Structure formats: structure tokens, C-alpha cells
Coordinates of all heavy atoms in Angstrom, one line a residue:
G185 N -229.8 -68.7 14.0 CA -230.8 -69.5 14.6 C -230.7 -71.0 14.2 O -230.8 -71.9 15.0
F186 N -230.6 -71.2 12.9 CA -230.6 -72.5 12.4 C -229.3 -73.2 12.8 O -229.2 -74.4 12.9 CB -230.8 -72.6 10.8 CG -232.2 -72.1 10.4 CD1 -232.3 -71.0 9.6 CD2 -233.3 -72.8 10.9 CE1 -233.6 -70.6 9.2 CE2 -234.6 -72.4 10.5 CZ -234.7 -71.3 9.7
G187 N -228.2 -72.4 12.9 CA -226.9 -72.9 13.4 C -227.0 -73.4 14.8 O -226.4 -74.5 15.2
I188 N -227.8 -72.7 15.7 CA -228.0 -73.2 17.0 C -228.8 -74.5 17.0 O -228.4 -75.5 17.8 CB -228.8 -72.1 17.8 CG1 -228.0 -70.9 18.1 CG2 -229.3 -72.7 19.2 CD1 -228.7 -69.7 18.6
A189 N -229.8 -74.6 16.2 CA -230.5 -75.9 16.1 C -229.6 -77.0 15.6 O -229.7 -78.1 16.1 CB -231.7 -75.7 15.1
A190 N -228.8 -76.7 14.6 CA -227.9 -77.8 14.1 C -226.9 -78.2 15.2 O -226.6 -79.4 15.3 CB -227.1 -77.3 12.9
L191 N -226.4 -77.2 15.9 CA -225.4 -77.6 17.0 C -226.1 -78.4 18.1 O -225.6 -79.4 18.6 CB -224.9 -76.3 17.6 CG -223.8 -76.5 18.7 CD1 -222.6 -77.3 18.2 CD2 -223.4 -75.1 19.2
G192 N -227.4 -78.1 18.4 CA -228.2 -78.9 19.3 C -228.3 -80.3 18.8 O -228.2 -81.3 19.6
D193 N -228.6 -80.5 17.5 CA -228.7 -81.8 16.9 C -227.4 -82.6 17.0 O -227.4 -83.8 17.4 CB -229.2 -81.7 15.5 CG -230.6 -81.4 15.3 OD1 -231.4 -81.6 16.2 OD2 -231.0 -80.8 14.2
L194 N -226.3 -81.9 16.7 CA -225.0 -82.6 16.8 C -224.7 -83.0 18.2 O -224.2 -84.1 18.4 CB -223.9 -81.7 16.2 CG -223.9 -81.5 14.7 CD1 -222.9 -80.4 14.3 CD2 -223.6 -82.8 14.0
T195 N -224.9 -82.1 19.1 CA -224.6 -82.4 20.5 C -225.5 -83.6 21.0 O -224.9 -84.5 21.6 CB -224.9 -81.2 21.4 OG1 -224.1 -80.1 21.0 CG2 -224.6 -81.5 22.9
K196 N -226.7 -83.5 20.7 CA -227.6 -84.6 21.2 C -227.3 -85.9 20.6 O -227.2 -87.0 21.2 CB -229.1 -84.2 20.8 CG -230.1 -85.2 21.4 CD -231.5 -84.6 21.2 CE -232.5 -85.5 21.8 NZ -233.9 -85.0 21.5
T197 N -227.0 -85.9 19.3 CA -226.6 -87.2 18.6 C -225.3 -87.8 19.2 O -225.2 -89.0 19.5 CB -226.3 -86.9 17.1 OG1 -227.6 -86.4 16.5 CG2 -225.9 -88.2 16.4
Y198 N -224.3 -86.9 19.5 CA -223.0 -87.4 20.0 C -223.3 -88.0 21.4 O -222.8 -89.1 21.7 CB -222.0 -86.3 20.1 CG -220.8 -86.6 20.8 CD1 -219.8 -87.5 20.2 CD2 -220.5 -86.2 22.1 CE1 -218.7 -87.9 20.8 CE2 -219.4 -86.6 22.8 CZ -218.4 -87.4 22.2 OH -217.3 -87.8 22.8
V199 N -224.0 -87.2 22.3 CA -224.2 -87.7 23.7 C -225.0 -89.0 23.7 O -224.7 -89.9 24.4 CB -224.8 -86.6 24.5 CG1 -225.3 -87.1 25.9 CG2 -223.9 -85.4 24.7
K200 N -226.0 -89.0 22.9 CA -226.9 -90.2 22.9 C -226.1 -91.5 22.4 O -226.4 -92.6 22.8 CB -228.1 -90.0 22.0 CG -229.1 -89.0 22.6 CD -229.9 -89.6 23.7 CE -231.0 -88.6 24.1 NZ -231.9 -89.1 25.1
Q201 N -225.2 -91.3 21.5 CA -224.4 -92.4 21.0 C -223.4 -92.9 22.1 O -223.0 -94.1 22.1 CB -223.6 -92.0 19.8 CG -224.5 -91.9 18.5 CD -223.7 -91.5 17.3 OE1 -222.5 -91.0 17.4 NE2 -224.3 -91.5 16.2
T202 N -223.0 -92.0 23.0 CA -222.0 -92.4 24.0 C -222.6 -92.9 25.3 O -222.0 -93.4 26.1 CB -221.0 -91.2 24.3 OG1 -221.8 -90.1 24.8 CG2 -220.2 -90.8 23.1
Q203 N -224.0 -92.7 25.4 CA -224.7 -93.1 26.6 C -225.4 -94.5 26.4 O -225.9 -94.7 25.3 CB -225.7 -92.1 27.0 CG -225.2 -90.8 27.5 CD -224.3 -90.9 28.8 OE1 -224.6 -91.7 29.6 NE2 -223.2 -90.2 28.8
K204 N -225.4 -95.3 27.4 CA -226.1 -96.6 27.3 C -227.6 -96.4 27.4 O -228.4 -97.2 26.9 CB -225.5 -97.6 28.3 CG -224.1 -97.9 28.0 CD -223.5 -98.9 28.9 CE -222.1 -99.2 28.6 NZ -221.4 -100.0 29.5
D205 N -228.0 -95.5 28.3 CA -229.4 -95.3 28.5 C -230.0 -94.3 27.5 O -229.6 -93.2 27.4 CB -229.6 -94.7 29.9 CG -231.1 -94.5 30.3 OD1 -232.0 -95.0 29.6 OD2 -231.3 -93.8 31.3
E206 N -231.0 -94.8 26.7 CA -231.5 -94.0 25.6 C -232.4 -92.9 26.1 O -232.6 -91.9 25.4 CB -232.4 -94.9 24.7 CG -231.6 -95.8 23.8 CD -232.5 -96.6 22.8 OE1 -233.6 -96.2 22.6 OE2 -232.0 -97.6 22.3
R207 N -232.8 -93.0 27.4 CA -233.6 -91.9 27.9 C -232.8 -90.9 28.7 O -233.3 -90.0 29.4 CB -234.7 -92.5 28.9 CG -235.6 -93.4 28.1 CD -236.4 -94.3 29.0 NE -236.9 -93.6 30.2 CZ -238.2 -93.5 30.6 NH1 -239.1 -94.1 29.8 NH2 -238.5 -92.9 31.7
Y208 N -231.5 -90.9 28.5 CA -230.6 -90.0 29.1 C -230.9 -88.5 28.7 O -231.1 -88.2 27.5 CB -229.1 -90.3 28.7 CG -228.1 -89.4 29.4 CD1 -227.7 -89.6 30.7 CD2 -227.5 -88.4 28.6 CE1 -226.7 -88.8 31.2 CE2 -226.6 -87.5 29.2 CZ -226.2 -87.8 30.5 OH -225.2 -86.9 31.1
L209 N -231.0 -87.6 29.7 CA -231.3 -86.2 29.4 C -229.9 -85.5 29.1 O -229.0 -85.5 30.0 CB -232.0 -85.6 30.6 CG -232.3 -84.1 30.5 CD1 -233.3 -83.9 29.3 CD2 -232.9 -83.6 31.8
V210 N -229.8 -84.9 28.0 CA -228.6 -84.2 27.6 C -228.6 -82.9 28.2 O -229.5 -82.1 28.1 CB -228.6 -84.0 26.0 CG1 -227.3 -83.3 25.6 CG2 -228.7 -85.4 25.3
T211 N -227.5 -82.6 29.0 CA -227.4 -81.3 29.7 C -226.0 -80.7 29.5 O -225.7 -79.7 30.1 CB -227.6 -81.5 31.2 OG1 -226.6 -82.5 31.7 CG2 -229.0 -82.0 31.6
S212 N -225.2 -81.2 28.6 CA -223.9 -80.7 28.3 C -223.9 -79.9 27.0 O -224.9 -79.9 26.2 CB -222.9 -81.8 28.2 OG -223.2 -82.8 27.2
G213 N -222.8 -79.3 26.7 CA -222.7 -78.5 25.5 C -223.6 -77.4 25.4 O -223.9 -76.7 26.4
I214 N -224.3 -77.2 24.3 CA -225.2 -76.1 24.1 C -226.4 -76.2 25.0 O -227.1 -75.3 25.4 CB -225.6 -75.9 22.6 CG1 -226.5 -74.7 22.4 CG2 -226.4 -77.1 22.2 CD1 -225.9 -73.6 21.6
F215 N -226.7 -77.5 25.4 CA -227.9 -77.7 26.3 C -227.6 -77.2 27.7 O -228.6 -77.1 28.5 CB -228.2 -79.3 26.4 CG -228.8 -79.8 25.1 CD1 -228.1 -80.2 24.0 CD2 -230.2 -79.8 25.0 CE1 -228.7 -80.7 22.9 CE2 -230.8 -80.3 23.9 CZ -230.1 -80.7 22.8
S216 N -226.4 -76.9 28.0 CA -226.1 -76.3 29.4 C -226.4 -74.8 29.3 O -226.5 -74.2 30.4 CB -224.6 -76.5 29.7 OG -223.7 -75.8 28.9
I217 N -226.6 -74.2 28.2 CA -226.8 -72.8 28.0 C -228.3 -72.6 27.7 O -229.0 -71.7 28.2 CB -225.9 -72.2 26.9 CG1 -224.5 -72.3 27.3 CG2 -226.3 -70.7 26.8 CD1 -223.5 -72.0 26.2
I218 N -228.8 -73.4 26.7 CA -230.2 -73.3 26.2 C -230.9 -74.6 26.4 O -230.4 -75.6 26.0 CB -230.2 -72.9 24.7 CG1 -229.4 -71.6 24.4 CG2 -231.6 -72.8 24.2 CD1 -229.2 -71.4 23.0
R219 N -232.0 -74.6 27.1 CA -232.7 -75.8 27.4 C -233.2 -76.6 26.2 O -233.1 -77.8 26.1 CB -233.9 -75.5 28.3 CG -234.7 -76.8 28.7 CD -235.4 -76.6 30.0 NE -236.2 -77.7 30.4 CZ -235.8 -78.8 31.1 NH1 -234.5 -78.8 31.6 NH2 -236.6 -79.7 31.4
H220 N -233.7 -75.9 25.2 CA -234.1 -76.5 24.0 C -233.5 -75.8 22.8 O -234.2 -75.0 22.1 CB -235.7 -76.4 23.8 CG -236.4 -77.1 24.9 ND1 -236.4 -78.5 25.1 CD2 -237.1 -76.6 26.0 CE1 -237.1 -78.8 26.1 NE2 -237.6 -77.7 26.7
P221 N -232.2 -76.1 22.5 CA -231.6 -75.4 21.4 C -232.2 -75.7 20.0 O -232.2 -74.8 19.1 CB -230.1 -75.8 21.4 CG -230.2 -77.1 22.2 CD -231.3 -77.0 23.1
N222 N -232.8 -76.8 19.8 CA -233.4 -77.2 18.5 C -234.6 -76.2 18.3 O -234.7 -75.6 17.2 CB -233.8 -78.6 18.5 CG -232.7 -79.6 18.8 OD1 -232.4 -79.8 20.0 ND2 -232.0 -80.1 17.9
Y223 N -235.5 -76.2 19.3 CA -236.7 -75.4 19.1 C -236.3 -73.9 19.1 O -236.8 -73.1 18.3 CB -237.7 -75.7 20.2 CG -238.2 -77.1 20.1 CD1 -238.1 -77.9 21.3 CD2 -238.7 -77.7 19.0 CE1 -238.6 -79.2 21.2 CE2 -239.2 -79.0 18.9 CZ -239.1 -79.7 20.1 OH -239.5 -81.0 20.0
S224 N -235.5 -73.5 20.0 CA -235.1 -72.1 20.1 C -234.4 -71.6 18.8 O -234.7 -70.5 18.4 CB -234.1 -71.8 21.3 OG -234.8 -72.2 22.5
G225 N -233.5 -72.4 18.3 CA -232.8 -72.1 17.1 C -233.8 -72.0 15.9 O -233.7 -71.1 15.1
E226 N -234.7 -72.9 15.8 CA -235.7 -72.9 14.8 C -236.6 -71.6 14.9 O -236.8 -70.9 13.9 CB -236.7 -74.1 14.8 CG -236.0 -75.4 14.4 CD -236.1 -75.6 12.9 OE1 -236.9 -75.0 12.2 OE2 -235.2 -76.4 12.4
I227 N -237.0 -71.2 16.1 CA -237.8 -70.0 16.3 C -237.0 -68.8 15.9 O -237.5 -67.9 15.2 CB -238.3 -69.9 17.8 CG1 -239.3 -71.0 18.1 CG2 -238.8 -68.5 18.1 CD1 -239.7 -71.1 19.5
L228 N -235.7 -68.7 16.3 CA -234.9 -67.6 15.9 C -234.7 -67.5 14.4 O -234.8 -66.5 13.8 CB -233.5 -67.7 16.6 CG -233.4 -67.3 18.0 CD1 -232.1 -67.7 18.6 CD2 -233.7 -65.8 18.2
G229 N -234.5 -68.7 13.8 CA -234.2 -68.7 12.3 C -235.5 -68.3 11.5 O -235.4 -67.5 10.6
W230 N -236.6 -68.8 11.9 CA -237.9 -68.5 11.2 C -238.3 -67.1 11.4 O -238.8 -66.4 10.6 CB -239.0 -69.5 11.5 CG -238.7 -70.8 10.9 CD1 -238.5 -72.0 11.5 CD2 -238.6 -71.1 9.5 NE1 -238.2 -73.0 10.6 CE2 -238.3 -72.5 9.3 CE3 -238.8 -70.4 8.3 CZ2 -238.2 -73.1 8.1 CZ3 -238.7 -71.0 7.1 CH2 -238.4 -72.4 7.0
T231 N -238.1 -66.6 12.7 CA -238.4 -65.2 13.0 C -237.5 -64.2 12.2 O -238.0 -63.3 11.6 CB -238.3 -64.9 14.5 OG1 -239.2 -65.8 15.2 CG2 -238.6 -63.5 14.8
A232 N -236.2 -64.5 12.1 CA -235.3 -63.7 11.3 C -235.7 -63.8 9.8 O -235.7 -62.7 9.1 CB -233.9 -64.2 11.4
N233 N -236.1 -64.9 9.3 CA -236.6 -65.1 7.9 C -237.8 -64.2 7.7 O -237.8 -63.5 6.7 CB -236.9 -66.5 7.7 CG -237.1 -66.9 6.2 OD1 -237.5 -66.0 5.4 ND2 -236.9 -68.1 5.9
A234 N -238.8 -64.2 8.6 CA -240.0 -63.4 8.4 C -239.6 -61.9 8.5 O -240.1 -61.1 7.7 CB -241.0 -63.7 9.5
L235 N -238.7 -61.5 9.4 CA -238.3 -60.1 9.5 C -237.6 -59.6 8.2 O -237.8 -58.5 7.8 CB -237.5 -59.9 10.7 CG -238.2 -60.0 12.1 CD1 -237.3 -59.9 13.2 CD2 -239.3 -59.0 12.2
M236 N -236.8 -60.5 7.7 CA -236.1 -60.1 6.5 C -237.1 -60.0 5.3 O -236.9 -59.1 4.4 CB -235.0 -61.1 6.1 CG -233.8 -61.1 7.1 SD -232.9 -59.5 7.1 CE -233.5 -58.9 8.6
G237 N -238.1 -60.8 5.3 CA -239.1 -60.7 4.3 C -239.9 -59.4 4.4 O -240.1 -58.7 3.4
L238 N -240.2 -59.0 5.6 CA -240.9 -57.8 5.8 C -240.0 -56.6 5.5 O -240.4 -55.6 4.9 CB -241.3 -57.7 7.3 CG -242.5 -58.6 7.7 CD1 -242.7 -58.5 9.2 CD2 -243.7 -58.2 7.0
L239 N -238.7 -56.7 5.8 CA -237.8 -55.6 5.5 C -237.6 -55.5 4.0 O -237.7 -54.3 3.4 CB -236.4 -55.8 6.2 CG -235.3 -54.8 5.9 CD1 -235.7 -53.5 6.4 CD2 -234.0 -55.3 6.4
A240 N -237.5 -56.6 3.3 CA -237.3 -56.5 1.8 C -238.6 -55.9 1.2 O -238.5 -55.1 0.3 CB -237.1 -57.9 1.3
A241 N -239.8 -56.3 1.7 CA -241.0 -55.8 1.2 C -241.1 -54.3 1.4 O -241.5 -53.5 0.6 CB -242.2 -56.5 1.8
A242 N -240.7 -53.9 2.6 CA -240.8 -52.4 3.0 C -239.9 -51.6 2.1 O -240.2 -50.5 1.7 CB -240.5 -52.2 4.4
L243 N -238.7 -52.1 1.8 CA -237.8 -51.4 0.9 C -238.2 -51.4 -0.6 O -237.8 -50.5 -1.3 CB -236.3 -52.0 1.1 CG -235.7 -51.8 2.5 CD1 -234.4 -52.5 2.6 CD2 -235.6 -50.3 2.8
W244 N -238.8 -52.5 -1.0 CA -239.2 -52.7 -2.4 C -240.5 -52.0 -2.7 O -240.6 -51.5 -3.8 CB -239.2 -54.2 -2.6 CG -239.5 -54.5 -4.1 CD1 -238.7 -54.2 -5.1 CD2 -240.5 -55.4 -4.6 NE1 -239.3 -54.7 -6.3 CE2 -240.4 -55.5 -5.9 CE3 -241.6 -56.0 -4.0 CZ2 -241.2 -56.2 -6.7 CZ3 -242.4 -56.7 -4.7 CH2 -242.3 -56.8 -6.1
I245 N -241.4 -52.0 -1.8 CA -242.8 -51.5 -2.1 C -242.8 -50.0 -2.0 O -242.5 -49.4 -1.0 CB -243.8 -52.1 -1.1 CG1 -243.8 -53.6 -1.2 CG2 -245.2 -51.5 -1.4 CD1 -244.7 -54.2 -0.1
K246 N -243.3 -49.4 -3.1 CA -243.5 -47.9 -3.1 C -245.0 -47.7 -2.9 O -245.4 -46.8 -2.2 CB -243.1 -47.3 -4.4 CG -241.6 -47.4 -4.7 CD -240.8 -46.6 -3.8 CE -239.3 -46.7 -4.2 NZ -238.4 -46.7 -3.2
K247 N -245.8 -48.6 -3.5 CA -247.3 -48.5 -3.4 C -247.8 -49.9 -3.1 O -247.7 -50.7 -4.0 CB -247.8 -47.9 -4.7 CG -249.2 -47.4 -4.7 CD -249.5 -46.9 -6.0 CE -250.5 -45.8 -5.9 NZ -250.9 -45.3 -7.2
P248 N -248.4 -50.1 -1.9 CA -248.9 -51.5 -1.6 C -250.0 -51.9 -2.6 O -250.8 -51.1 -3.0 CB -249.4 -51.4 -0.2 CG -248.8 -50.1 0.3 CD -248.5 -49.2 -0.8
S249 N -249.9 -53.1 -3.0 CA -251.0 -53.7 -3.9 C -251.6 -54.9 -3.1 O -251.1 -55.4 -2.1 CB -250.4 -54.1 -5.2 OG -249.6 -55.3 -5.0
A250 N -252.7 -55.3 -3.7 CA -253.4 -56.5 -3.0 C -252.6 -57.7 -3.0 O -252.6 -58.5 -2.0 CB -254.8 -56.7 -3.8
T251 N -251.8 -57.9 -4.1 CA -250.9 -59.1 -4.2 C -249.9 -59.1 -3.1 O -249.6 -60.0 -2.4 CB -250.3 -59.2 -5.6 OG1 -251.3 -59.3 -6.5 CG2 -249.4 -60.5 -5.7
I252 N -249.2 -57.9 -2.9 CA -248.2 -57.8 -1.9 C -248.8 -57.9 -0.5 O -248.2 -58.6 0.3 CB -247.5 -56.4 -2.1 CG1 -246.8 -56.2 -3.4 CG2 -246.5 -56.1 -0.9 CD1 -245.6 -57.0 -3.6
L253 N -249.9 -57.3 -0.3 CA -250.5 -57.4 1.0 C -250.9 -58.9 1.3 O -250.8 -59.3 2.5 CB -251.7 -56.5 1.1 CG -251.3 -55.0 1.1 CD1 -252.6 -54.1 1.1 CD2 -250.4 -54.6 2.2
T254 N -251.4 -59.6 0.3 CA -251.8 -61.0 0.5 C -250.5 -61.8 0.8 O -250.6 -62.7 1.7 CB -252.4 -61.5 -0.8 OG1 -253.6 -60.7 -1.1 CG2 -252.8 -63.0 -0.6
N255 N -249.4 -61.5 0.1 CA -248.2 -62.3 0.4 C -247.7 -62.0 1.8 O -247.2 -62.9 2.5 CB -247.1 -61.9 -0.6 CG -247.4 -62.5 -2.0 OD1 -248.2 -63.4 -2.1 ND2 -246.8 -62.0 -3.0
L256 N -247.8 -60.7 2.2 CA -247.4 -60.4 3.6 C -248.2 -61.0 4.6 O -247.8 -61.5 5.7 CB -247.3 -58.8 3.8 CG -246.2 -58.1 3.0 CD1 -246.4 -56.6 3.2 CD2 -244.9 -58.5 3.5
A257 N -249.5 -61.1 4.4 CA -250.4 -61.8 5.3 C -250.1 -63.3 5.4 O -250.1 -63.9 6.4 CB -251.9 -61.6 4.8
A258 N -249.8 -63.9 4.2 CA -249.4 -65.3 4.2 C -248.1 -65.5 5.0 O -247.9 -66.5 5.7 CB -249.2 -65.8 2.8
L259 N -247.2 -64.6 4.8 CA -245.9 -64.6 5.6 C -246.2 -64.6 7.1 O -245.7 -65.4 7.8 CB -245.0 -63.4 5.2 CG -243.6 -63.4 5.9 CD1 -242.6 -62.8 4.9 CD2 -243.7 -62.5 7.1
G260 N -247.1 -63.7 7.5 CA -247.4 -63.6 8.9 C -248.1 -64.9 9.4 O -247.8 -65.4 10.5
L261 N -249.0 -65.4 8.7 CA -249.7 -66.6 9.1 C -248.8 -67.8 9.1 O -248.8 -68.7 10.0 CB -250.9 -66.9 8.1 CG -252.1 -66.0 8.3 CD1 -253.1 -66.3 7.2 CD2 -252.7 -66.2 9.6
G262 N -247.9 -67.9 8.1 CA -246.9 -69.0 8.1 C -246.0 -68.9 9.3 O -245.7 -69.9 10.0
W263 N -245.5 -67.7 9.6 CA -244.6 -67.6 10.8 C -245.4 -67.9 12.1 O -244.8 -68.6 12.9 CB -244.1 -66.1 10.9 CG -243.3 -65.9 12.1 CD1 -242.0 -66.2 12.3 CD2 -243.8 -65.2 13.3 NE1 -241.7 -65.8 13.6 CE2 -242.7 -65.2 14.2 CE3 -245.0 -64.7 13.7 CZ2 -242.8 -64.7 15.5 CZ3 -245.1 -64.1 14.9 CH2 -244.1 -64.1 15.8
A264 N -246.6 -67.5 12.2 CA -247.4 -67.8 13.4 C -247.6 -69.3 13.5 O -247.6 -69.8 14.6 CB -248.7 -67.0 13.4
G265 N -247.9 -69.9 12.4 CA -248.1 -71.4 12.4 C -246.9 -72.1 12.9 O -246.9 -73.0 13.7
I266 N -245.7 -71.8 12.3 CA -244.5 -72.4 12.7 C -244.2 -72.2 14.2 O -243.8 -73.1 14.9 CB -243.3 -71.9 11.9 CG1 -243.4 -72.4 10.4 CG2 -241.9 -72.3 12.5 CD1 -242.5 -71.8 9.4
L267 N -244.4 -70.9 14.7 CA -244.2 -70.6 16.1 C -245.1 -71.4 17.0 O -244.6 -72.0 18.0 CB -244.4 -69.1 16.3 CG -244.1 -68.6 17.7 CD1 -242.6 -68.7 18.0 CD2 -244.5 -67.1 17.8
F268 N -246.3 -71.5 16.6 CA -247.3 -72.3 17.4 C -246.8 -73.8 17.5 O -246.8 -74.4 18.6 CB -248.7 -72.2 16.8 CG -249.7 -73.1 17.4 CD1 -250.3 -72.7 18.6 CD2 -250.1 -74.3 16.8 CE1 -251.2 -73.6 19.3 CE2 -251.0 -75.1 17.5 CZ -251.6 -74.8 18.7
V269 N -246.5 -74.4 16.4 CA -246.0 -75.8 16.4 C -244.8 -76.0 17.2 O -244.7 -76.9 18.0 CB -245.8 -76.3 14.9 CG1 -245.0 -77.6 14.9 CG2 -247.1 -76.4 14.1
L270 N -243.8 -75.1 17.1 CA -242.6 -75.2 17.9 C -242.8 -75.0 19.4 O -242.3 -75.8 20.2 CB -241.5 -74.3 17.4 CG -241.0 -74.6 16.0 CD1 -240.1 -73.5 15.5 CD2 -240.2 -75.9 16.0
L271 N -243.7 -74.1 19.7 CA -244.0 -73.9 21.2 C -244.8 -75.0 21.8 O -244.5 -75.4 22.9 CB -244.7 -72.5 21.3 CG -243.9 -71.3 21.1 CD1 -244.7 -70.0 21.2 CD2 -242.7 -71.2 22.0
M272 N -245.7 -75.6 21.0 CA -246.4 -76.8 21.5 C -245.5 -78.0 21.6 O -245.6 -78.7 22.6 CB -247.6 -77.1 20.5 CG -248.7 -76.1 20.5 SD -249.4 -75.8 22.2 CE -250.1 -77.4 22.5
A273 N -244.6 -78.1 20.7 CA -243.6 -79.2 20.8 C -242.8 -79.1 22.0 O -242.5 -80.1 22.7 CB -242.8 -79.3 19.5
T274 N -242.3 -77.9 22.3 CA -241.5 -77.6 23.5 C -242.3 -77.9 24.8 O -241.8 -78.6 25.7 CB -241.0 -76.1 23.5 OG1 -240.3 -75.9 22.3 CG2 -240.2 -75.9 24.7
S275 N -243.5 -77.5 24.8 CA -244.4 -77.7 26.0 C -244.6 -79.2 26.2 O -244.5 -79.7 27.3 CB -245.7 -77.0 25.8 OG -246.6 -77.3 26.8
N276 N -244.9 -79.9 25.1 CA -245.1 -81.4 25.2 C -243.8 -82.1 25.7 O -243.9 -83.1 26.4 CB -245.6 -82.0 23.9 CG -247.0 -81.5 23.6 OD1 -247.8 -81.1 24.4 ND2 -247.3 -81.5 22.3
L277 N -242.7 -81.7 25.2 CA -241.4 -82.3 25.6 C -241.2 -82.0 27.1 O -240.8 -82.9 27.8 CB -240.3 -81.7 24.8 CG -238.9 -82.3 25.1 CD1 -238.9 -83.8 24.8 CD2 -237.9 -81.6 24.2
E278 N -241.5 -80.8 27.6 CA -241.3 -80.5 29.0 C -242.2 -81.5 29.8 O -241.7 -82.0 30.8 CB -241.7 -79.1 29.3 CG -240.7 -78.1 28.8 CD -239.4 -78.1 29.7 OE1 -239.5 -78.4 30.9 OE2 -238.4 -77.8 29.1
K279 N -243.4 -81.7 29.4 CA -244.4 -82.5 30.2 C -243.9 -84.0 30.2 O -243.9 -84.6 31.2 CB -245.8 -82.5 29.6 CG -246.5 -81.2 29.8 CD -247.8 -81.1 29.1 CE -248.4 -79.7 29.2 NZ -249.6 -79.6 28.3
R280 N -243.4 -84.4 29.1 CA -242.8 -85.8 29.0 C -241.6 -86.0 29.9 O -241.5 -87.0 30.5 CB -242.5 -86.1 27.5 CG -242.6 -87.6 27.2 CD -242.4 -87.9 25.8 NE -241.9 -86.7 25.1 CZ -241.7 -86.6 23.8 NH1 -242.0 -87.6 23.0 NH2 -241.3 -85.5 23.2
Q281 N -240.7 -85.0 29.9 CA -239.5 -85.1 30.7 C -239.9 -85.0 32.2 O -239.2 -85.7 33.0 CB -238.5 -84.0 30.4 CG -237.9 -84.2 29.0 CD -237.0 -83.1 28.6 OE1 -237.0 -82.0 29.2 NE2 -236.2 -83.3 27.6
E282 N -240.9 -84.3 32.6 CA -241.3 -84.2 34.0 C -241.9 -85.6 34.5 O -241.7 -86.0 35.6 CB -242.4 -83.2 34.2 CG -241.8 -81.8 34.1 CD -242.9 -80.7 34.2 OE1 -244.1 -81.0 34.4 OE2 -242.6 -79.5 34.1
K283 N -242.5 -86.3 33.6 CA -243.0 -87.7 33.9 C -241.9 -88.6 34.2 O -242.0 -89.5 35.1 CB -243.9 -88.2 32.8 CG -245.2 -87.6 32.7 CD -246.0 -88.3 31.6 CE -247.4 -87.6 31.4 NZ -248.1 -88.2 30.3
D284 N -240.8 -88.5 33.4 CA -239.7 -89.4 33.6 C -238.9 -89.0 34.7 O -238.4 -89.2 35.6 CB -238.8 -89.5 32.3 CG -239.6 -90.0 31.1 OD1 -240.6 -90.7 31.3 OD2 -239.2 -89.7 30.0

């Protein structure tokens, strides 16, 4: 996931440096496959991170305790917060691109 985001950053940086118009919409490279590789990669990366945390907790915990459950709740809230921010950013970017 984070590799996709990094590839999106590299592609966008390269294309923007070679274009004279700063408002140029990047549609080549990874952008020809995924509309928002930065956001999609971040979502995939953070979702995988949360799932691995849940898997590790499930394998490690024999008897749930309040501390473990609190940590798992924090993991879920953190993941939901990151997902919300990234989805809102994607939505706002789409609206801005439609205006241009």
C-alpha cells in the first residue's frame, strides 16, 4: 500500500517537473491504473497495518483484559479516523478537479 503511494508521489513529481502548466492533470504511469494512488496506497497500507495488529492480538491474547480491549478500540478508532481523513481528501480533490 505504502509502495503504491510512494510510486504515485514519484510519478506526480516527475510529470509536474516536465510540464510547464502547474495545473496539469497527471494521467500517466500509475495514475493510468489508479485515479488516486496516493490516497489508495495510504488506505491499503493503514488497513493492512490495522489488520496485522488485530491478527497479532488474536494470536497473542488467551484471555482478553481491559487494557488489551482498550488498545484494540484505540486501533479501530485510529484506523477509522485515518480512513475518514483520506476519503474526505479524495472527495475534495475530485471536486476541485471538476471545477478546473
